PDB file of all heavy atoms in Angstrom:
ATOM      1  N   ARG A  28      92.846 111.437 102.336  1.00 98.00           N
ATOM      2  CA  ARG A  28      94.220 111.302 101.864  1.00 98.00           C
ATOM      3  C   ARG A  28      94.811 109.962 102.212  1.00 98.00           C
ATOM      4  O   ARG A  28      95.622 109.413 101.434  1.00 98.00           O
ATOM      5  CB  ARG A  28      95.103 112.383 102.425  1.00 98.00           C
ATOM      6  CG  ARG A  28      94.655 113.801 102.075  1.00 98.00           C
ATOM      7  CD  ARG A  28      95.688 114.848 102.524  1.00 98.00           C
ATOM      8  NE  ARG A  28      95.849 114.862 103.994  1.00 98.00           N
ATOM      9  CZ  ARG A  28      97.010 114.622 104.633  1.00 98.00           C
ATOM     10  NH1 ARG A  28      98.114 114.324 103.954  1.00 98.00           N
ATOM     11  NH2 ARG A  28      97.033 114.666 105.985  1.00 98.00           N
ATOM     12  N   PHE A  29      94.426 109.391 103.320  1.00 98.00           N
ATOM     13  CA  PHE A  29      95.007 108.133 103.814  1.00 98.00           C
ATOM     14  C   PHE A  29      93.914 107.038 103.687  1.00 98.00           C
ATOM     15  O   PHE A  29      92.707 107.314 103.862  1.00 98.00           O
ATOM     16  CB  PHE A  29      95.410 108.198 105.285  1.00 98.00           C
ATOM     17  CG  PHE A  29      96.578 109.054 105.570  1.00 98.00           C
ATOM     18  CD1 PHE A  29      97.190 109.911 104.604  1.00 98.00           C
ATOM     19  CD2 PHE A  29      97.181 108.999 106.831  1.00 98.00           C
ATOM     20  CE1 PHE A  29      98.250 110.664 104.876  1.00 98.00           C
ATOM     21  CE2 PHE A  29      98.292 109.764 107.142  1.00 98.00           C
ATOM     22  CZ  PHE A  29      98.833 110.622 106.180  1.00 98.00           C
ATOM     23  N   THR A  30      94.333 105.813 103.407  1.00 98.00           N
ATOM     24  CA  THR A  30      93.445 104.677 103.318  1.00 98.00           C
ATOM     25  C   THR A  30      94.061 103.540 104.155  1.00 98.00           C
ATOM     26  O   THR A  30      95.173 103.103 103.908  1.00 98.00           O
ATOM     27  CB  THR A  30      93.244 104.205 101.919  1.00 98.00           C
ATOM     28  OG1 THR A  30      92.696 105.302 101.131  1.00 98.00           O
ATOM     29  CG2 THR A  30      92.265 103.026 101.882  1.00 98.00           C
ATOM     30  N   ILE A  31      93.283 103.033 105.110  1.00 98.00           N
ATOM     31  CA  ILE A  31      93.690 101.872 105.920  1.00 98.00           C
ATOM     32  C   ILE A  31      93.050 100.636 105.353  1.00 98.00           C
ATOM     33  O   ILE A  31      91.897 100.658 104.902  1.00 98.00           O
ATOM     34  CB  ILE A  31      93.359 102.090 107.403  1.00 98.00           C
ATOM     35  CG1 ILE A  31      93.994 100.965 108.284  1.00 98.00           C
ATOM     36  CG2 ILE A  31      91.865 102.184 107.622  1.00 98.00           C
ATOM     37  CD1 ILE A  31      93.863 101.250 109.794  1.00 98.00           C
ATOM     38  N   SER A  32      93.780  99.541 105.322  1.00 97.00           N
ATOM     39  CA  SER A  32      93.251  98.269 104.753  1.00 97.00           C
ATOM     40  C   SER A  32      93.892  97.082 105.443  1.00 97.00           C
ATOM     41  O   SER A  32      94.887  97.231 106.165  1.00 97.00           O
ATOM     42  CB  SER A  32      93.462  98.249 103.241  1.00 97.00           C
ATOM     43  OG  SER A  32      94.854  98.276 102.905  1.00 97.00           O
ATOM     44  N   ARG A  33      93.340  95.919 105.192  1.00 95.00           N
ATOM     45  CA  ARG A  33      93.878  94.679 105.733  1.00 95.00           C
ATOM     46  C   ARG A  33      93.906  93.590 104.647  1.00 95.00           C
ATOM     47  O   ARG A  33      93.051  93.541 103.772  1.00 95.00           O
ATOM     48  CB  ARG A  33      92.976  94.179 106.870  1.00 95.00           C
ATOM     49  CG  ARG A  33      92.853  95.015 108.039  1.00 95.00           C
ATOM     50  CD  ARG A  33      91.671  94.584 108.905  1.00 95.00           C
ATOM     51  NE  ARG A  33      91.794  93.241 109.415  1.00 95.00           N
ATOM     52  CZ  ARG A  33      90.815  92.532 109.930  1.00 95.00           C
ATOM     53  NH1 ARG A  33      89.568  93.051 110.016  1.00 95.00           N
ATOM     54  NH2 ARG A  33      91.022  91.315 110.349  1.00 95.00           N
ATOM     55  N   ASP A  34      94.937  92.762 104.736  1.00 95.00           N
ATOM     56  CA  ASP A  34      95.014  91.588 103.903  1.00 95.00           C
ATOM     57  C   ASP A  34      94.963  90.389 104.864  1.00 95.00           C
ATOM     58  O   ASP A  34      95.970  90.081 105.513  1.00 95.00           O
ATOM     59  CB  ASP A  34      96.326  91.574 103.072  1.00 95.00           C
ATOM     60  CG  ASP A  34      96.423  90.361 102.129  1.00 95.00           C
ATOM     61  OD1 ASP A  34      95.755  89.341 102.414  1.00 95.00           O
ATOM     62  OD2 ASP A  34      97.098  90.541 101.126  1.00 95.00           O
ATOM     63  N   ASN A  35      93.818  89.799 104.987  1.00 92.00           N
ATOM     64  CA  ASN A  35      93.626  88.753 105.990  1.00 92.00           C
ATOM     65  C   ASN A  35      94.489  87.500 105.726  1.00 92.00           C
ATOM     66  O   ASN A  35      94.918  86.820 106.661  1.00 92.00           O
ATOM     67  CB  ASN A  35      92.168  88.351 106.060  1.00 92.00           C
ATOM     68  CG  ASN A  35      91.253  89.459 106.556  1.00 92.00           C
ATOM     69  OD1 ASN A  35      91.760  90.369 107.270  1.00 92.00           O
ATOM     70  ND2 ASN A  35      90.001  89.426 106.251  1.00 92.00           N
ATOM     71  N   ALA A  36      94.747  87.168 104.464  1.00 94.00           N
ATOM     72  CA  ALA A  36      95.552  86.032 104.153  1.00 94.00           C
ATOM     73  C   ALA A  36      97.021  86.212 104.597  1.00 94.00           C
ATOM     74  O   ALA A  36      97.689  85.244 104.869  1.00 94.00           O
ATOM     75  CB  ALA A  36      95.517  85.743 102.668  1.00 94.00           C
ATOM     76  N   LYS A  37      97.474  87.474 104.675  1.00 96.00           N
ATOM     77  CA  LYS A  37      98.876  87.747 105.078  1.00 96.00           C
ATOM     78  C   LYS A  37      98.998  88.267 106.485  1.00 96.00           C
ATOM     79  O   LYS A  37     100.089  88.514 106.952  1.00 96.00           O
ATOM     80  CB  LYS A  37      99.469  88.779 104.095  1.00 96.00           C
ATOM     81  CG  LYS A  37      99.619  88.299 102.672  1.00 96.00           C
ATOM     82  CD  LYS A  37     100.240  89.326 101.805  1.00 96.00           C
ATOM     83  CE  LYS A  37     100.427  88.873 100.372  1.00 96.00           C
ATOM     84  NZ  LYS A  37     101.056  89.856  99.502  1.00 96.00           N
ATOM     85  N   ASN A  38      97.881  88.388 107.215  1.00 95.00           N
ATOM     86  CA  ASN A  38      97.870  88.952 108.550  1.00 95.00           C
ATOM     87  C   ASN A  38      98.620  90.276 108.577  1.00 95.00           C
ATOM     88  O   ASN A  38      99.440  90.606 109.462  1.00 95.00           O
ATOM     89  CB  ASN A  38      98.535  88.026 109.547  1.00 95.00           C
ATOM     90  CG  ASN A  38      97.757  86.720 109.700  1.00 95.00           C
ATOM     91  OD1 ASN A  38      96.521  86.693 109.623  1.00 95.00           O
ATOM     92  ND2 ASN A  38      98.438  85.624 109.943  1.00 95.00           N
ATOM     93  N   THR A  39      98.317  91.108 107.601  1.00 97.00           N
ATOM     94  CA  THR A  39      99.010  92.376 107.424  1.00 97.00           C
ATOM     95  C   THR A  39      98.043  93.513 107.212  1.00 97.00           C
ATOM     96  O   THR A  39      97.042  93.405 106.547  1.00 97.00           O
ATOM     97  CB  THR A  39      99.980  92.353 106.223  1.00 97.00           C
ATOM     98  OG1 THR A  39     100.938  91.271 106.414  1.00 97.00           O
ATOM     99  CG2 THR A  39     100.718  93.622 106.060  1.00 97.00           C
ATOM    100  N   MET A  40      98.314  94.651 107.898  1.00 97.00           N
ATOM    101  CA  MET A  40      97.541  95.879 107.766  1.00 97.00           C
ATOM    102  C   MET A  40      98.411  96.905 107.074  1.00 97.00           C
ATOM    103  O   MET A  40      99.606  96.960 107.235  1.00 97.00           O
ATOM    104  CB  MET A  40      97.154  96.402 109.168  1.00 97.00           C
ATOM    105  CG  MET A  40      96.388  97.703 109.153  1.00 97.00           C
ATOM    106  SD  MET A  40      95.988  98.303 110.789  1.00 97.00           S
ATOM    107  CE  MET A  40      97.691  98.557 111.465  1.00 97.00           C
ATOM    108  N   TYR A  41      97.735  97.781 106.295  1.00 98.00           N
ATOM    109  CA  TYR A  41      98.439  98.782 105.520  1.00 98.00           C
ATOM    110  C   TYR A  41      97.848 100.151 105.770  1.00 98.00           C
ATOM    111  O   TYR A  41      96.693 100.329 106.139  1.00 98.00           O
ATOM    112  CB  TYR A  41      98.307  98.517 103.998  1.00 98.00           C
ATOM    113  CG  TYR A  41      98.854  97.143 103.625  1.00 98.00           C
ATOM    114  CD1 TYR A  41      97.940  96.110 103.471  1.00 98.00           C
ATOM    115  CD2 TYR A  41     100.185  96.938 103.399  1.00 98.00           C
ATOM    116  CE1 TYR A  41      98.401  94.823 103.081  1.00 98.00           C
ATOM    117  CE2 TYR A  41     100.648  95.688 103.027  1.00 98.00           C
ATOM    118  CZ  TYR A  41      99.780  94.672 102.874  1.00 98.00           C
ATOM    119  OH  TYR A  41     100.219  93.389 102.502  1.00 98.00           O
ATOM    120  N   LEU A  42      98.689 101.187 105.589  1.00 98.00           N
ATOM    121  CA  LEU A  42      98.209 102.564 105.556  1.00 98.00           C
ATOM    122  C   LEU A  42      98.763 103.208 104.278  1.00 98.00           C
ATOM    123  O   LEU A  42     100.009 103.449 104.219  1.00 98.00           O
ATOM    124  CB  LEU A  42      98.666 103.339 106.823  1.00 98.00           C
ATOM    125  CG  LEU A  42      98.141 104.736 106.910  1.00 98.00           C
ATOM    126  CD1 LEU A  42      96.584 104.742 107.150  1.00 98.00           C
ATOM    127  CD2 LEU A  42      98.812 105.513 107.999  1.00 98.00           C
ATOM    128  N   GLN A  43      97.918 103.387 103.332  1.00 98.00           N
ATOM    129  CA  GLN A  43      98.326 104.096 102.107  1.00 98.00           C
ATOM    130  C   GLN A  43      98.168 105.573 102.361  1.00 98.00           C
ATOM    131  O   GLN A  43      97.078 106.092 102.631  1.00 98.00           O
ATOM    132  CB  GLN A  43      97.460 103.661 100.924  1.00 98.00           C
ATOM    133  CG  GLN A  43      97.755 104.360  99.628  1.00 98.00           C
ATOM    134  CD  GLN A  43      99.136 104.058  99.121  1.00 98.00           C
ATOM    135  OE1 GLN A  43      99.525 102.876  99.053  1.00 98.00           O
ATOM    136  NE2 GLN A  43      99.868 105.080  98.722  1.00 98.00           N
ATOM    137  N   MET A  44      99.252 106.340 102.224  1.00 98.00           N
ATOM    138  CA  MET A  44      99.299 107.735 102.529  1.00 98.00           C
ATOM    139  C   MET A  44      99.566 108.511 101.232  1.00 98.00           C
ATOM    140  O   MET A  44     100.640 108.411 100.646  1.00 98.00           O
ATOM    141  CB  MET A  44     100.377 108.109 103.600  1.00 98.00           C
ATOM    142  CG  MET A  44     100.190 107.296 104.865  1.00 98.00           C
ATOM    143  SD  MET A  44     101.344 107.810 106.145  1.00 98.00           S
ATOM    144  CE  MET A  44     102.885 107.303 105.347  1.00 98.00           C
ATOM    145  N   ASN A  45      98.605 109.281 100.742  1.00 98.00           N
ATOM    146  CA  ASN A  45      98.714 110.092  99.581  1.00 98.00           C
ATOM    147  C   ASN A  45      98.625 111.555  99.921  1.00 98.00           C
ATOM    148  O   ASN A  45      98.153 111.927 100.976  1.00 98.00           O
ATOM    149  CB  ASN A  45      97.582 109.730  98.560  1.00 98.00           C
ATOM    150  CG  ASN A  45      97.630 108.295  98.081  1.00 98.00           C
ATOM    151  OD1 ASN A  45      98.704 107.691  97.971  1.00 98.00           O
ATOM    152  ND2 ASN A  45      96.478 107.716  97.850  1.00 98.00           N
ATOM    153  N   SER A  46      99.056 112.400  98.965  1.00 98.00           N
ATOM    154  CA  SER A  46      99.037 113.838  99.139  1.00 98.00           C
ATOM    155  C   SER A  46      99.639 114.243 100.465  1.00 98.00           C
ATOM    156  O   SER A  46      99.066 115.038 101.220  1.00 98.00           O
ATOM    157  CB  SER A  46      97.576 114.336  99.036  1.00 98.00           C
ATOM    158  OG  SER A  46      96.987 114.017  97.813  1.00 98.00           O
ATOM    159  N   LEU A  47     100.791 113.754 100.783  1.00 98.00           N
ATOM    160  CA  LEU A  47     101.424 113.969 102.039  1.00 98.00           C
ATOM    161  C   LEU A  47     101.840 115.398 102.223  1.00 98.00           C
ATOM    162  O   LEU A  47     102.245 116.118 101.282  1.00 98.00           O
ATOM    163  CB  LEU A  47     102.685 113.024 102.224  1.00 98.00           C
ATOM    164  CG  LEU A  47     102.286 111.597 102.583  1.00 98.00           C
ATOM    165  CD1 LEU A  47     103.470 110.669 102.294  1.00 98.00           C
ATOM    166  CD2 LEU A  47     101.906 111.496 104.055  1.00 98.00           C
ATOM    167  N   LYS A  48     101.697 115.867 103.480  1.00 98.00           N
ATOM    168  CA  LYS A  48     101.971 117.223 103.901  1.00 98.00           C
ATOM    169  C   LYS A  48     103.125 117.235 104.911  1.00 98.00           C
ATOM    170  O   LYS A  48     103.286 116.255 105.646  1.00 98.00           O
ATOM    171  CB  LYS A  48     100.752 117.918 104.504  1.00 98.00           C
ATOM    172  CG  LYS A  48      99.528 117.883 103.601  1.00 98.00           C
ATOM    173  CD  LYS A  48      98.335 118.427 104.332  1.00 98.00           C
ATOM    174  CE  LYS A  48      97.100 118.463 103.502  1.00 98.00           C
ATOM    175  NZ  LYS A  48      95.920 118.972 104.264  1.00 98.00           N
ATOM    176  N   PRO A  49     103.897 118.332 105.035  1.00 97.00           N
ATOM    177  CA  PRO A  49     104.933 118.391 106.060  1.00 97.00           C
ATOM    178  C   PRO A  49     104.411 118.081 107.467  1.00 97.00           C
ATOM    179  O   PRO A  49     105.086 117.484 108.265  1.00 97.00           O
ATOM    180  CB  PRO A  49     105.425 119.811 105.955  1.00 97.00           C
ATOM    181  CG  PRO A  49     105.214 120.180 104.509  1.00 97.00           C
ATOM    182  CD  PRO A  49     103.903 119.490 104.137  1.00 97.00           C
ATOM    183  N   GLU A  50     103.160 118.474 107.810  1.00 97.00           N
ATOM    184  CA  GLU A  50     102.583 118.196 109.106  1.00 97.00           C
ATOM    185  C   GLU A  50     102.269 116.739 109.368  1.00 97.00           C
ATOM    186  O   GLU A  50     101.922 116.359 110.444  1.00 97.00           O
ATOM    187  CB  GLU A  50     101.349 119.094 109.336  1.00 97.00           C
ATOM    188  CG  GLU A  50     100.315 118.973 108.237  1.00 97.00           C
ATOM    189  CD  GLU A  50     100.373 120.140 107.261  1.00 97.00           C
ATOM    190  OE1 GLU A  50     101.493 120.478 106.808  1.00 97.00           O
ATOM    191  OE2 GLU A  50      99.364 120.708 106.932  1.00 97.00           O
ATOM    192  N   ASP A  51     102.388 115.922 108.323  1.00 98.00           N
ATOM    193  CA  ASP A  51     102.278 114.438 108.516  1.00 98.00           C
ATOM    194  C   ASP A  51     103.571 113.842 109.072  1.00 98.00           C
ATOM    195  O   ASP A  51     103.593 112.626 109.359  1.00 98.00           O
ATOM    196  CB  ASP A  51     101.932 113.759 107.157  1.00 98.00           C
ATOM    197  CG  ASP A  51     100.549 114.166 106.664  1.00 98.00           C
ATOM    198  OD1 ASP A  51      99.603 114.236 107.473  1.00 98.00           O
ATOM    199  OD2 ASP A  51     100.412 114.389 105.453  1.00 98.00           O
ATOM    200  N   THR A  52     104.653 114.609 109.124  1.00 98.00           N
ATOM    201  CA  THR A  52     105.909 114.104 109.594  1.00 98.00           C
ATOM    202  C   THR A  52     105.757 113.661 111.074  1.00 98.00           C
ATOM    203  O   THR A  52     105.327 114.377 111.920  1.00 98.00           O
ATOM    204  CB  THR A  52     106.985 115.187 109.521  1.00 98.00           C
ATOM    205  OG1 THR A  52     107.214 115.499 108.113  1.00 98.00           O
ATOM    206  CG2 THR A  52     108.307 114.695 110.148  1.00 98.00           C
ATOM    207  N   ALA A  53     106.122 112.368 111.318  1.00 98.00           N
ATOM    208  CA  ALA A  53     106.001 111.790 112.615  1.00 98.00           C
ATOM    209  C   ALA A  53     106.515 110.388 112.583  1.00 98.00           C
ATOM    210  O   ALA A  53     106.808 109.816 111.554  1.00 98.00           O
ATOM    211  CB  ALA A  53     104.508 111.740 113.067  1.00 98.00           C
ATOM    212  N   VAL A  54     106.650 109.778 113.782  1.00 98.00           N
ATOM    213  CA  VAL A  54     106.827 108.333 113.883  1.00 98.00           C
ATOM    214  C   VAL A  54     105.425 107.712 113.877  1.00 98.00           C
ATOM    215  O   VAL A  54     104.601 108.105 114.699  1.00 98.00           O
ATOM    216  CB  VAL A  54     107.622 107.939 115.131  1.00 98.00           C
ATOM    217  CG1 VAL A  54     107.739 106.442 115.237  1.00 98.00           C
ATOM    218  CG2 VAL A  54     109.006 108.602 115.106  1.00 98.00           C
ATOM    219  N   TYR A  55     105.226 106.774 112.993  1.00 98.00           N
ATOM    220  CA  TYR A  55     103.938 106.083 112.893  1.00 98.00           C
ATOM    221  C   TYR A  55     104.039 104.745 113.562  1.00 98.00           C
ATOM    222  O   TYR A  55     104.977 103.983 113.304  1.00 98.00           O
ATOM    223  CB  TYR A  55     103.555 105.968 111.414  1.00 98.00           C
ATOM    224  CG  TYR A  55     103.046 107.238 110.832  1.00 98.00           C
ATOM    225  CD1 TYR A  55     103.931 108.279 110.590  1.00 98.00           C
ATOM    226  CD2 TYR A  55     101.690 107.406 110.491  1.00 98.00           C
ATOM    227  CE1 TYR A  55     103.482 109.480 110.044  1.00 98.00           C
ATOM    228  CE2 TYR A  55     101.228 108.620 109.988  1.00 98.00           C
ATOM    229  CZ  TYR A  55     102.139 109.645 109.748  1.00 98.00           C
ATOM    230  OH  TYR A  55     101.664 110.835 109.229  1.00 98.00           O
ATOM    231  N   TYR A  56     102.998 104.418 114.362  1.00 98.00           N
ATOM    232  CA  TYR A  56     102.994 103.210 115.134  1.00 98.00           C
ATOM    233  C   TYR A  56     101.805 102.318 114.786  1.00 98.00           C
ATOM    234  O   TYR A  56     100.664 102.840 114.831  1.00 98.00           O
ATOM    235  CB  TYR A  56     102.942 103.491 116.660  1.00 98.00           C
ATOM    236  CG  TYR A  56     104.153 104.230 117.211  1.00 98.00           C
ATOM    237  CD1 TYR A  56     104.218 105.574 117.283  1.00 98.00           C
ATOM    238  CD2 TYR A  56     105.266 103.492 117.648  1.00 98.00           C
ATOM    239  CE1 TYR A  56     105.327 106.235 117.785  1.00 98.00           C
ATOM    240  CE2 TYR A  56     106.402 104.135 118.137  1.00 98.00           C
ATOM    241  CZ  TYR A  56     106.387 105.484 118.193  1.00 98.00           C
ATOM    242  OH  TYR A  56     107.488 106.148 118.708  1.00 98.00           O
ATOM    243  N   CYS A  57     102.061 101.090 114.457  1.00 97.00           N
ATOM    244  CA  CYS A  57     100.986 100.135 114.276  1.00 97.00           C
ATOM    245  C   CYS A  57     100.415  99.800 115.678  1.00 97.00           C
ATOM    246  O   CYS A  57     101.162  99.698 116.648  1.00 97.00           O
ATOM    247  CB  CYS A  57     101.520  98.890 113.633  1.00 97.00           C
ATOM    248  SG  CYS A  57     100.380  97.511 113.420  1.00 97.00           S
ATOM    249  N   ASN A  58      99.112  99.558 115.745  1.00 97.00           N
ATOM    250  CA  ASN A  58      98.446  99.218 117.007  1.00 97.00           C
ATOM    251  C   ASN A  58      97.411  98.208 116.831  1.00 97.00           C
ATOM    252  O   ASN A  58      96.669  98.159 115.804  1.00 97.00           O
ATOM    253  CB  ASN A  58      97.841 100.477 117.638  1.00 97.00           C
ATOM    254  CG  ASN A  58      96.909 100.164 118.812  1.00 97.00           C
ATOM    255  OD1 ASN A  58      95.720 100.044 118.646  1.00 97.00           O
ATOM    256  ND2 ASN A  58      97.519 100.078 119.986  1.00 97.00           N
ATOM    257  N   ALA A  59      97.256  97.347 117.782  1.00 96.00           N
ATOM    258  CA  ALA A  59      96.104  96.379 117.924  1.00 96.00           C
ATOM    259  C   ALA A  59      95.496  96.463 119.311  1.00 96.00           C
ATOM    260  O   ALA A  59      96.229  96.443 120.308  1.00 96.00           O
ATOM    261  CB  ALA A  59      96.566  94.967 117.661  1.00 96.00           C
ATOM    262  N   GLY A  60      94.197  96.697 119.374  1.00 94.00           N
ATOM    263  CA  GLY A  60      93.539  96.697 120.683  1.00 94.00           C
ATOM    264  C   GLY A  60      93.592  98.021 121.391  1.00 94.00           C
ATOM    265  O   GLY A  60      93.512  98.032 122.608  1.00 94.00           O
TER     266      GLY A  60
END
């Protein structure tokens, strides 16, 4: 359902979230390391 990706030119990471469910409700935190 989810896809993680990176755009190296923009120094940006993404999380595409599809088919979302109520149990996906949360605070989402980006992390490195």
Side-chain angles (χ1 to χ4, degrees):
R28 300 187 297 120
F29 291 10
T30 302
I31 189 170
S32 62
R33 297 165 62 195
D34 185 334
N35 293 337
K37 296 182 178 180
N38 297 324
T39 301
M40 177 182 64
Y41 304 96
L42 185 68
Q43 178 66 47
M44 305 185 294
N45 298 327
S46 302
L47 283 162
K48 304 175 180 179
E50 51 262 46
D51 295 318
T52 295
V54 178
Y55 284 70
Y56 296 93
C57 177
N58 169 264

